Structures are given as structure tokens and as C-alpha cells.
């Protein structure tokens, strides 16, 4: 048994009863990483020395009996697009190979206030562009359930490290499904909060109208605790919303009586495997038994989400990634005698193919003569997609469906065809376009590969999502099964 | 019909400050053409009177108090600069001979 099989609240109690030290938790992390990370390859950078120092000073504090936060001493992994002062932050790109941030992201500062211990930085698709972690410049993270398969992406390292027991929990980021899809593939709990719930100050921007940071954990309760710690208005991020942060954990009542669930027919249609479809229908039966009611609905513009998403996210990325020019930080080409060549060669040598492809697509969609036909059109379609959700949420509390159309696929299976790879995100993308929150929780297995149930809520109603997710989790055992690695 | 030509891909690459080889231009043309063709399914929808969504929340003009704040220390900022001299970031000549 691993210490990380315990929930945060149990570990907190053990620490305060002096039956456990923070140093034990940190050692558990590094011991497990030493055991399995040459196979899983979730971590890009470890911060071992500093983590051990932090653990020791926290243990001294614990002896002195000072009042501590619930997350005190808990070992966490951070996705490598979230800046950490003094810990290399690469976005899994060559262009940031030697980049050492000089400040902490707001979420990292908030974790420090809670006195968590940062174990290291987690692999991802380069600049969060991808669904398999195969776009990392450094390494291919593997799925702990089957090392021949991808962990999903882009937060593949974040999900795989939690599933493999290398950390208690982690932070990821989600632009089109990048938390929920890997959480589903790795059999863990991952939430994309409402757009504006969590500050993105210090998150290296991919698509600013879509990006959100969120928690990846083993249980719904831990997820709620971690979201609580990182949420809230931040003067450093003008898109963070000035709304109350409720007590998410107190929403975990186990009571879903009378809850109204909408099940979009588009989410169980074409491309969704029979095993995935069945797992969702079984999950609905579980919730029905607990007193919830469900009905089929339609989100008629779902099929257009993918196209709108690729135009919008790539357009925004083409602007956001203009900052990587080899001048102020990051990789600079040795092959340039003038400034223009310095820009061009630094970028061409520093970025991978998928990043270049999306920068070019975005530049094209924003270019003179094409802006209205592509970019503006996609923003209009986004309005229709958002309206689909608003209409359904007038009558229903949550929307439920699968997180992904299939379980984890094999490494190399889809990498040569960008469009096939993109179709992976067809069920998660509409959620980002509408800005609503969504979670993926374990809901079954197909040939020993985990499947994820997606629960989508209204703007700023993560509490209801957690209530439903928790009720389902309590009634099932899927989350208790661990990969055999 | 192709949606994007080899010449356009080279033009876009130049706008995006990416140097691409002839081979890459060919590959990207094919891939971008497939993606743009796929994206054109959006034309099935009538969006004549639909407002575009630039921000999913009803937020605009978020200002902070206009208070002077200290920026990042120069020596810290220069730590990540590939080349610097006398406290300034250094780049190759902008104007040719």
C-alpha cells in the first residue's frame, strides 16, 4: 500500500497525530519516482534537494504544533507550463530548455501559502498542444495502465504521475480537454474549472480565451480541496473573476435526490465505442438509483466545436507564441547575423512541428482577407455552442457523457495525422468554448484500460459537479483500482 | 480545390517569423489544407445575425488602481537573456552595412 492511497484529510490527521512526517510523504514520492519513472517518464525536472529541505522545516513546524492548513506537507507535481521560481520551466519545448523563471505563478504562490511541497515539473505536449504527450521535445510519457499506450495530453505527465503513485496530486492545464482527457486515460480525477475561477498569472499562455489551470487527484474530495486552495480573484490576471469561492468540500453531501441530468445524444453518437457508451449508461443507472433523474437532450452545434476550436486556439496561440523570439529569454540560434534571421532561426530550431503547424494555421486565420471567413466565423459559432449549453442548463443541473470516445490509444498510432489526433478532444472541447466547468472521473474499464465519465456544470457551479462526482464515486469501486506498474 | 497553396504557406511562415524548408512547405501545405478544409464545415451554419463571442464571461474593462509599483530587478531579468552587455539585452545588428 502506498501513502498516496490515503486521502488528504487522512494524511492530515496522521501528520497531526505525529504518526507521519512530511519527510515520509516526500520520501514516498522520490522512492516511487526512482522505482517507476524510467518507465512512466512523467517528470521533466525534479526539485529533490529543496523539497527535502522544505519537508524538514515543515516537520519542525509540526513539532512546534503550529496551526496548519489541510494541504500542509502534501507532495505535489506541477505541469511544466506553470512557472516556478528557480525551477526550470520548459513547456516541454526546446525553446525553453534553459529557462529558469524569476517569479512564481499565482497558483504556485497559493500552494506555498498552504505549505505543500513541490516534487517536480511534469511532462506535457509542447506548449500544451496535443492529446498524447508525443509532442514533448524531451520524452514520451507512458500510460501507467499499459506502457505501450499514451497517457493522454496535454497534461499527460500530470495524470500519469498521480495514477502511478509518484505524487499525491498535481496541477494541469486545460484548453480543449488537456486535464480531463488524460485523467480519463489514466483513471484519475481531473477538473477544468470555470473560465475565470483560477488565476492564469504565470501559466505560459496557449489560447487565452480557453486556458484554465485545474487539479488532478485520486479522489473527488482531494480534488475539491486542491481547487479550493488555488481559486479566486487575482489582480495579476484580469480574466480571473470577482466571484465568491464557495466551500467545495461541504458540497460533498452524497445526496443527488431530484438532481436533473442532461445526456446529450451527440455525446453518445458516432465515433464513441460501445464500451464507452455502455459505461456511461451504467453510470447513469448508478445515479438514478441514488435518486437523480436523467433525460436525453441535444447540443446541436457540438459537431462544429472541433473546427471552431482549432481556428480560435491556433489564432490565439500564434499571437501568444510571438514572444518566443530568441531575444529576452529562451533558445537563441547560433546561426544568425541579423535580427530577422535571429527571430526566424531561433523559432524554427526551437519549436516542434505541431507548434509550427498551429502558429501557421492561426497566422493564416488572422491574416488580411481571411479574418472574417475563419476567425470571426469561428467566434460566431462559439456563440451558438455557448447558447446550446445555456439552453440545456435552463432545465438541468448537470450534463453527463463520456470524457473521450475511446480509451487510451497506442503510442505512434495517431501521431502522423493531425486531424485524427484532434478528434480525441471532440467531447471536451465544447466545454472550453462555453467556458463552463467539467470533470472527468473513473467510470469503468475496457480491457483493463480506464474510462472517464464527464460531468459538466453551469458557470461557477463546480460545487454541483463535485456533489454528483462524489456521490458516484462513493457508490462505485473504479477509483480504487490501481495500475499494476 | 485546395484551400491554401504552397506560396501562401511560405507567406504565412514569413509572417509568423518561421524559416521553413521547401520540404516542410510541401508537408505543411498538405496538412494545413486538410485542416482548413475540415474547418470549412462551419460554413454550413448561418451566422448572419450572430454576435461573435470574444469573452465567455460578462466582463469588460478590468482596471486596477493606478499605483506605482516596482518592476522586476534588472539583474534578475537578465539571467535568462541569451546575450547581454552593460545591463542591456544584446541582439545582432538590425541595420545592414
Amino acid at each position: 500500500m502506498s501513502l498516496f492511497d490515503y486521502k488528504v484529510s487522512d494524511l492530515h490527521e496522521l501528520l497531526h497525530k505525529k504518526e507521519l512526517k512530511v519527510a515520509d510523504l516526500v520520501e514516498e514520492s522520490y522512492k516511487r519516482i526512482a522505482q517507476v519513472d524510467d518507465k512512466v517518464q512523467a517528470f521533466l525536472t525534479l526539485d529533490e534537494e529543496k523539497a527535502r529541505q522544505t519537508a524538514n522545516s515543515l516537520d519542525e513546524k509540526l513539532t512546534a504544533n503550529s496551526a496548519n492548513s489541510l494541504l500542509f506537507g502534501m507532495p505535489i507535481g506541477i505541469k511544466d507550463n506553470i512557472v516556478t521560481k528557480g525551477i526550470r520551466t520548459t513547456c516541454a519545448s526546446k525553446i525553453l530548455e534553459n529557462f529558469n523563471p524569476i517569479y512564481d505563478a499565482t497558483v504556485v504562490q497559493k500552494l506555498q501559502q498552504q505549505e505543500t511541497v513541490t516534487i517536480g515539473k511534469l511532462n506535457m505536449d509542447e506548449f500544451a498542444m496535443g492529446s498524447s504527450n508525443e509532442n514533448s521535445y524531451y520524452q514520451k510519457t507512458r500510460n501507467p495502465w499499459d506502457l505501450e499506450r499514451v497517457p493522454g495530453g496535454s497534461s499527460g505527465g500530470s495524470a500519469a504521475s498521480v495514477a502511478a503513485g509518484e505524487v499525491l496530486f498535481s496541477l494541469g492545464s486545460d484548453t480543449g480537454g488537456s486535464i480531463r482527457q488524460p485523467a480519463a486515460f489514466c483513471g484519475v480525477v481531473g477538473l477544468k474549472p470555470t473560465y475565470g475561477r483560477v488565476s492564469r498569472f504565470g501559466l505560459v499562455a496557449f489560447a487565452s480565451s480557453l486556458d484554465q489551470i485545474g487539479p488532478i487527484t485520486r479522489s473527488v474530495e482531494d480534488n475539491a480541496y486542491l481547487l479550493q486552495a488555488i481559486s479566486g480573484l487575482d489582480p495579476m490576471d484580469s480574466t480571473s473573476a470577482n466571484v465568491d469561492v464557495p466551500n467545495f468540500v461541504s458540497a460533498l453531501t452524497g445526496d443527488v435526490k431530484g438532481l436533473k441530468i442532461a445526456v446529450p445524444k451527440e455525446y453518445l453518437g458516432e465515433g464513441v465505442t460501445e464500451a464507452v457508451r455502455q459505461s456511461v449508461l451504467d453510470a447513469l443507472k448508478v445515479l438514478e438509483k441514488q435518486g437523480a433523474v436523467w433525460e436525453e437532450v441535444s447540443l446541436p452545434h457540438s459537431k462544429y466545436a472541433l473546427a471552431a476550436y482549432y481556428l480560435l486556439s491556433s489564432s490565439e496561440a500564434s499571437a501568444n507564441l510571438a514572444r518566443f523570439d530568441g531575444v529576452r529569454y529562451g533558445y537563441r540560434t547560433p546561426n544568425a547575423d541579423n535580427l530577422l534571421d535571429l527571430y526566424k532561426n531561433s523559432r524554427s530550431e526551437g519549436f516542434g512541428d505541431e507548434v509550427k503547424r498551429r502558429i501557421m494555421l492561426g497566422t493564416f486565420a488572422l491574416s488580411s482577407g481571411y479574418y472574417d471567413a475563419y476567425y470571426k466565423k469561428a467566434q460566431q459559432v462559439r456563440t451558438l455552442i455557448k447558447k446550446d449549453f445555456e439552453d440545456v442548463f435552463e432545465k438541468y443541473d448537470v450534463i453527463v457523457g463520456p470524457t473521450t470516445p475511446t480509451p487510451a490509444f497506442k503510442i505512434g498510432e495517431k501521431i502522423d495525422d493531425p486531424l485524427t489526433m484532434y478528434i480525441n478532444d471532440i467531447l471536451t472541447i465544447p466545454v472550453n468554448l462555453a467556458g463552463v466547468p467539467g470533470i472527468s472521473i473513473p467510470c469503468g474499464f475496457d480491457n483493463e484500460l480506464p474510462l472517464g465519465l464527464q460531468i459538466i456544470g453551469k458557470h461557477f457551479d463546480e460545487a454541483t459537479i463535485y456533489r454528483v462526482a462524489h456521490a458516484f464515486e462513493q457508490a462505485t469501486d473504479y477509483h480504487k483500482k490501481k495500475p499494476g506498474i | 480545390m485546395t484551400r491554401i497553396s504552397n506560396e501562401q504557406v511560405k507567406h504565412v511562415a514569413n509572417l509568423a517569423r518561421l524559416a521553413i524548408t521547401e520540404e516542410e512547405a510541401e508537408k505543411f501545405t498538405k496538412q494545413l489544407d486538410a485542416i482548413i478544409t475540415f474547418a470549412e464545415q462551419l460554413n454550413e451554419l448561418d451566422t448572419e445575425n450572430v454576435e461573435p463571442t470574444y469573452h465567455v464571461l460578462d466582463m469588460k474593462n478590468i482596471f486596477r488602481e493606478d499605483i506605482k509599483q516596482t518592476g522586476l530587478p534588472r539583474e534578475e531579468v537578465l539571467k535568462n537573456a541569451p546575450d547581454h552587455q552593460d545591463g542591456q539585452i544584446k541582439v545582432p545588428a538590425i541595420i545592414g552595412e
Side-chain angles (χ1 to χ4, degrees):
Chain A
M1 165 139 184
S2 155
L3 279 174
F4 302 150
D5 293 340
Y6 291 98
K7 289 190 300 183
V8 165
S9 51
D10 298 330
L11 293 173
H12 179 77
E13 208 184 308
L14 289 172
L15 283 173
H16 285 75
K17 284 201 293 200
K18 310 276 190 283
E19 286 170 27
L20 185 72
K21 287 166 137 185
V22 176
D24 299 330
L25 288 167
V26 170
E27 286 320 307
E28 178 89 14
S29 253
Y30 289 117
K31 196 182 81 195
R32 185 71 179 152
I33 289 168
Q35 271 173 4
V36 299
D37 209 55
D38 61 330
K39 284 178 258 173
V40 179
Q41 299 192 45
F43 280 91
L44 288 174
T45 307
L46 296 174
D47 196 24
E48 227 167 318
E49 200 180 317
K50 174 122 168 293
R52 290 208 165 94
Q53 276 171 15
T54 309
N56 289 337
S57 70
L58 291 180
D59 278 327
E60 277 168 34
K61 222 171 160 179
L62 197 61
T63 317
N65 254 336
S66 52
N68 298 315
S69 84
L70 198 85
L71 299 186
F72 177 93
M74 303 295 163
I76 189 163
I78 311 276
K79 187 176 180 181
D80 211 26
N81 59 351
I82 298 172
V83 299
T84 40
K85 188 175 179 177
I87 312 176
R88 187 177 80 125
T89 299
T90 69
C91 291
S93 179
K94 181 184 175 187
I95 214 161
L96 288 175
E97 191 165 11
N98 299 309
F99 179 62
N100 257 307
I102 55 176
Y103 61 88
D104 280 313
T106 296
V107 290
V108 173
Q109 291 172 31
K110 281 177 179 269
L111 289 174
Q112 276 161 4
Q113 283 159 20
Q114 304 285 318
E115 297 179 293
T116 62
V117 184
T118 300
I119 296 299
K121 303 299 292 288
L122 292 157
N123 195 28
M124 53 189 279
D125 287 291
E126 185 178 1
F127 286 106
M129 297 175 185
S131 315
S132 69
N133 269 38
E134 290 166 288
N135 293 335
S136 166
Y137 170 69
Y138 300 97
Q139 62 201 35
K140 289 183 175 60
T141 299
R142 285 155 190 274
N143 192 314
W145 294 86
D146 178 351
L147 296 171
E148 299 295 302
R149 287 174 193 269
V150 302
S154 65
S155 310
S158 300
S161 61
V162 173
E166 296 177 309
V167 281
L168 178 62
F169 45 33
S170 66
L171 290 184
S173 70
D174 190 317
T175 305
S178 282
I179 288 174
R180 289 158 289 155
Q181 185 252 22
F185 281 7
C186 292
V188 293
V189 179
L191 176 103
K192 182 204 88 79
T194 309
Y195 185 80
R197 173 65 89 192
V198 177
S199 165
R200 288 109 41 96
F201 178 68
L203 172 70
V204 179
F206 161 16
S208 305
S209 80
L210 302 158
D211 299 339
Q212 263 291 289
I213 296 171
I216 298 180
T217 58
R218 287 195 171 188
S219 71
V220 173
E221 187 184 293
D222 286 2
N223 205 280
Y225 279 127
L226 190 49
L227 181 66
Q228 194 84 45
I230 61 172
S231 291
L233 178 68
D234 178 12
M236 299 301 277
D237 175 4
S238 64
T239 64
S240 71
N242 191 6
V243 291
D244 286 339
V245 180
N247 184 331
F248 295 119
V249 177
S250 69
L252 309 180
T253 56
D255 181 10
V256 291
K257 255 189 219 87
L259 184 100
K260 286 196 200 131
I261 300 171
V263 181
K265 62 177 186 207
E266 292 82 5
Y267 284 28
L268 293 173
E270 205 187 331
V272 175
T273 67
E274 186 48 37
V276 168
R277 212 175 75 89
Q278 197 53 52
S279 74
V280 172
L281 294 176
D282 290 346
L284 288 167
K285 271 186 211 142
V286 171
L287 290 167
E288 218 169 23
K289 225 182 230 168
Q290 293 173 305
V293 290
W294 70 272
E295 284 174 327
E296 191 178 279
V297 298
S298 175
L299 296 170
H301 298 95
S302 296
K303 71 176 263 211
Y304 300 103
L306 193 60
Y309 171 82
Y310 274 94
L311 291 172
L312 296 175
S313 63
S314 302
S315 297
E316 294 178 23
S318 74
N320 277 326
L321 272 62
R323 73 193 57 173
F324 301 102
D325 55 8
V327 174
R328 292 151 299 156
Y329 44 77
Y331 173 80
R332 178 183 287 191
T333 180
N335 316 310
D337 343 317
N338 62 60
L339 192 60
L340 190 61
D341 283 350
L342 181 130
Y343 293 151
K344 283 189 171 181
N345 294 340
S346 297
R347 288 164 66 77
S348 301
E349 293 161 24
F351 289 139
D353 270 5
E354 181 64 26
V355 175
K356 288 182 195 170
R357 204 155 35 232
R358 296 205 201 187
I359 289 175
M360 284 194 278
L361 176 64
T363 306
F364 175 73
L366 292 175
S367 65
S368 168
Y370 296 96
Y371 179 92
D372 280 358
Y374 295 110
Y375 183 75
K376 190 178 166 204
K377 181 82 186 181
Q379 293 287 38
Q380 288 171 312
V381 173
R382 184 176 191 176
T383 304
L384 299 175
I385 288 164
K386 188 167 167 253
K387 176 99 181 8
D388 282 354
F389 280 96
E390 285 163 4
D391 290 348
V392 167
F393 280 133
E394 264 177 35
K395 286 196 218 137
Y396 299 89
D397 301 303
V398 289
I399 295 171
V400 166
T403 309
T404 59
T406 68
F409 49 89
K410 289 210 163 128
I411 294 170
E413 199 179 313
K414 304 191 180 191
I415 193 68
D416 292 328
D417 181 1
L419 265 179
T420 317
M421 184 69 94
Y422 296 172
I423 286 167
N424 254 292
D425 301 327
I426 198 155
L427 303 169
T428 46
I429 277 172
V431 173
N432 299 74
L433 289 172
V436 292
I439 201 170
S440 179
I441 56 170
C443 74
F445 292 89
D446 180 15
N447 287 318
E448 305 291 308
L449 295 172
L451 303 173
L453 184 74
Q454 185 174 209
I455 306 166
I456 302 161
K458 299 172 188 175
H459 277 134
F460 298 108
D461 193 15
E462 290 88 353
T464 302
I465 293 180
Y466 279 140
R467 178 156 63 92
V468 181
H470 178 74
F472 179 78
E473 186 188 69
Q474 295 310 298
T476 55
D477 282 332
Y478 304 119
H479 64 290
K480 289 185 183 151
K481 216 175 149 190
K482 299 286 179 310
I485 186 170
Chain B
M1 192 190 91
T2 53
R3 265 64 177 181
I4 187 165
S5 68
N6 191 289
E7 282 313 302
Q8 275 174 303
V9 167
K10 286 179 188 163
H11 173 64
V12 164
N14 179 51
L15 289 176
R17 297 292 183 252
L18 291 167
I20 55 170
T21 62
E22 201 58 49
E23 251 170 50
E24 285 176 313
E26 214 161 286
K27 180 182 72 182
F28 285 132
T29 304
K30 236 182 261 166
Q31 291 172 334
L32 289 174
D33 192 60
I35 297 167
I36 293 164
T37 305
F38 172 76
E40 287 195 347
Q41 61 172 290
L42 297 185
N43 294 335
E44 293 166 17
L45 293 169
D46 177 6
T47 51
E48 179 82 42
N49 297 312
V50 179
E51 282 294 313
T53 295
Y54 295 109
H55 198 309
V56 290
L57 304 176
D58 194 17
M59 284 164 66
K60 52 183 123 170
N61 296 343
I62 309 298
F63 296 120
R64 64 168 172 80
E65 290 297 311
D66 189 13
I67 302 167
K68 192 177 81 176
Q69 285 174 1
T70 321
L72 294 162
R74 178 179 291 211
E75 58 276 18
E76 287 286 301
V77 173
L78 289 174
K79 274 184 187 167
N80 279 297
D83 194 8
H84 61 92
Q85 186 184 324
D86 306 330
Q88 312 278 334
I89 290 166
K90 199 174 166 187
V91 293
I94 296 172
I95 304 164
E97 278 144 45

